[in-house]
Amino acid sequence: EPEVTQTPSHQVTQMGQEVILRCVPISNHLYFYWYRQILGQKVEFLVSFYNNEISEKSEIFDDQFSVERPDGSNFTLKIRSTKLEDSAMYFCASSEDWTDPNTGELFFGEGSRLTVL
Amino acid sequence: GNSVTQMEGPVTLSEEAFLTINCTYTATGYPSLFWYVQYPGEGLQLLLKATKADDKGSNKGFEATYRKETTSFHLEKGSVQVSDSAVYFCALSSPGGYQKVTFGTGTKLQVIP
């Protein structure tokens, strides 16, 4: 069964360092997303991406964050200068569509745990 | 804005017990409602969904009914198994799209033999 894969599964970094989280969405999907979950808190929407551009972003997704689809298969989330409060589980998701309830299901990866020291 | 409130866990049940996890929501219009499950070490998986009022979503013995009058979408299962141990997330999306799913805080379920 097709699945969304994420790397790395866990990354530890120093505050102020740049981090890139990678995702390979399901191959025929066109819509891509990043969500995050700070330990013990809600899963929060960060950004959605379609046709090589951001379609929506939350207030969390500030100038320190960027997304890119560099090669037609990967979908990356970059944090330029990490802060302690960026420590969280980051989930990538993809969907075939978002307007049709029958095809709009989000498929999530297993998550990348980021620890900022 | 949209929000989802679900009962806090952890919930500990014996095998074959009845499960209810409460979920209520606040949203404009008619959102789609979901339950996601996260098994240990795995990602979020869609468990079931309902896209309009009075719809019942069901999967793997779990059920939830979209109740617009009470803005609720409670998850139930008649007889839980140890393998159901996981974190369960109630969620909603705005009418017409899944783009921005709003999640609850999650409820951890532990089923003991």
Side-chain angles (χ1 to χ4, degrees):
Chain A
E1 185 177 325
E3 60 181 13
V4 175
T5 56
Q6 290 186 239
T7 55
S9 57
H10 188 194
Q11 182 159 355
V12 181
T13 190
Q14 295 292 322
M15 192 169 54
Q17 294 297 303
E18 177 183 281
V19 161
I20 297 176
L21 305 179
R22 291 182 169 78
C23 168
V24 179
I26 294 174
S27 61
N28 65 327
H29 286 185
L30 301 176
Y31 304 85
F32 314 114
Y33 315 82
W34 283 101
Y35 287 76
R36 79 171 186 190
Q37 183 184 27
I38 295 172
L39 187 63
Q41 298 186 25
K42 297 183 179 186
V43 177
E44 303 171 292
F45 169 81
L46 291 179
V47 65
S48 60
F49 190 87
Y50 168 70
N51 199 25
N52 282 320
E53 60 183 26
I54 291 173
S55 48
E56 187 171 351
K57 60 183 181 179
S58 71
E59 59 275 10
I60 302 168
F61 195 89
D62 61 22
D63 292 344
Q64 291 299 311
F65 291 89
S66 63
V67 288
E68 191 178 32
R69 187 155 164 81
D71 57 13
S73 62
N74 289 284
F75 179 53
T76 61
L77 174 69
K78 181 193 288 186
I79 309 174
R80 282 192 193 81
S81 178
T82 51
K83 303 187 282 286
L84 295 176
E85 54 266 36
D86 294 328
S87 295
M89 179 73 88
Y90 288 81
F91 292 102
C92 175
S94 68
S95 70
E96 191 175 338
D97 192 358
W98 71 48
T99 60
D100 183 341
N102 293 316
T103 57
E105 177 182 344
L106 293 181
F107 290 81
F108 285 87
E110 294 184 1
S112 293
R113 181 170 296 285
L114 175 65
T115 302
V116 182
L117 302 176
Chain B
N2 295 342
S3 68
V4 175
T5 302
Q6 60 183 106
M7 63 187 288
E8 290 194 21
V11 174
T12 302
L13 295 174
S14 297
E15 209 165 19
E16 299 184 2
F18 185 86
L19 169 71
T20 300
I21 300 178
N22 290 336
C23 171
T24 57
Y25 67 90
T26 302
T28 54
Y30 297 85
S32 294
L33 302 175
F34 313 90
W35 278 99
Y36 282 85
V37 59
Q38 184 178 27
Y39 297 104
E42 299 185 17
L44 295 164
Q45 300 174 27
L46 180 64
L47 180 61
L48 54 83
K49 67 182 180 186
T51 56
K52 60 182 186 293
D54 300 324
D55 266 3
K56 178 186 283 188
S58 61
N59 186 25
K60 299 181 181 179
F62 290 89
E63 292 182 342
T65 302
Y66 190 141
R67 300 286 188 201
K68 184 162 176 59
E69 64 276 12
T70 54
T71 61
S72 65
F73 192 55
H74 304 321
L75 182 68
E76 296 181 336
K77 186 173 185 182
S79 176
V80 293
Q81 305 300 312
V82 172
S83 57
D84 294 326
S85 298
V87 182
Y88 292 83
F89 293 89
C90 186
L92 67 82
S93 69
S94 297
Y98 286 51
Q99 178 169 220
K100 187 176 175 181
V101 177
T102 300
F103 287 85
T105 52
T107 302
K108 184 174 183 179
L109 170 66
Q110 184 175 8
V111 180
I112 53 178

